[in-house]
Amino acid sequence: MSIDQLRESFVHESVQLYLEDTSVLSKPKRQEVKINYTVHLQSCTSASFSGGNNQNSATLTAHKKLCSGSDTAKGKVGKGIGISTTWFGKYKAKRTAKAKKVYTDIKSGLTRTAVTYYNNGPDCEADEYAYVWSNIKDTVYLCNLYYNLQTSCSKTAESKEGTLLHEWSHSFGDTEDYEYGRTDCKDLAKKRPGRAVKNADSFAYHYCDAQ
């Protein structure tokens, strides 16, 4: 066999791969939420629970108060209202409008959205009551500290109701976490009221004081 014949005896094969919609390769996966059950309400649309039963009845009790409670709190923002000054600073029309809008957006979001409470959130930190993700507007993840709280609002202590209001103010009212705790939030209202009307804990405390 000549060298030319030997060359011709080899078979060369090639394979071409075509990938479609490669954009999905860079997208993070959203954690699947397995719903245990859903409760349909007369107001605030419906609430679903995931992660088993961990004081779900207490969470539902707190949740049911949020729509009417947001209206009550909204009515106590403005000129000459003591708790408004305490949590949102000296009266100014623009700041008052911003604070009222947060309450409006919270109620609107809860009314239009089927929300979920996820027990024992997978990313809970040791010092967290609850948390939300900015890209998942319909879910609040509850943490161990949350279950030790009393259910209804308090003017001196943390509560499940106040915690839920705090978290939904993030999801629906686009609030931030500038300060935590009653003392620091009162100082924020005095020194930086423009931030107070964007601070989630300020809304939680004003909301509870308004009930």
Side-chain angles (χ1 to χ4, degrees), residues 65-183:
K65 297 180 179 183
L66 295 179
C67 278
S68 61
S70 293
D71 281 339
T72 299
K74 178 181 174 181
K76 295 183 180 180
V77 179
K79 189 174 183 179
I81 302 174
I83 60 172
S84 183
T85 303
T86 297
W87 300 114
F88 301 129
K90 187 176 179 180
Y91 172 77
K92 189 175 181 180
K94 286 186 178 180
R95 283 201 296 271
T96 294
K98 287 180 180 179
K100 285 180 175 289
K101 185 177 184 302
V102 170
Y103 282 124
T104 297
D105 291 344
I106 290 171
K107 180 177 179 179
S108 178
L110 289 172
T111 302
R112 298 177 182 179
T113 308
V115 302
T116 297
Y117 293 106
Y118 191 119
N119 285 310
N120 304 305
D123 297 302
C124 285
E125 300 288 343
D127 60 348
E128 282 184 319
Y129 294 112
Y131 66 90
V132 294
W133 292 113
S134 60
N135 63 331
I136 305 176
K137 297 289 188 180
D138 62 354
T139 303
V140 168
Y141 299 84
L142 306 175
C143 302
N144 284 336
L145 289 180
Y146 168 86
Y147 303 111
N148 296 325
L149 302 176
Q150 66 184 64
T151 300
S152 297
C153 270
S154 167
K155 291 179 172 60
T156 58
E158 305 295 336
S159 65
K160 290 180 173 66
E161 186 178 356
T163 297
L164 299 186
L165 190 284
H166 173 121
E167 299 304 333
W168 291 126
S169 79
H170 283 317
S171 294
F172 300 128
D174 294 324
T175 59
E176 304 288 344
D177 287 322
Y178 293 120
E179 295 291 351
Y180 295 99
R182 285 181 171 266
T183 299

Side-chain angles (χ1 to χ4, degrees), residues 34-84:
K34 182 179 179 181
I35 302 301
N36 297 116
Y37 62 88
T38 300
V39 179
H40 297 283
L41 309 172
Q42 300 231 335
S43 63
C44 286
T45 185
S46 62
S48 298
F49 290 88
S50 178
N53 188 347
N54 195 340
Q55 301 184 30
N56 290 357
S57 61
T59 296
L60 187 60
T61 296
H63 174 86
K64 287 179 179 178
K65 297 180 179 183
L66 295 179
C67 278
S68 61
S70 293
D71 281 339
T72 299
K74 178 181 174 181
K76 295 183 180 180
V77 179
K79 189 174 183 179
I81 302 174
I83 60 172
S84 183

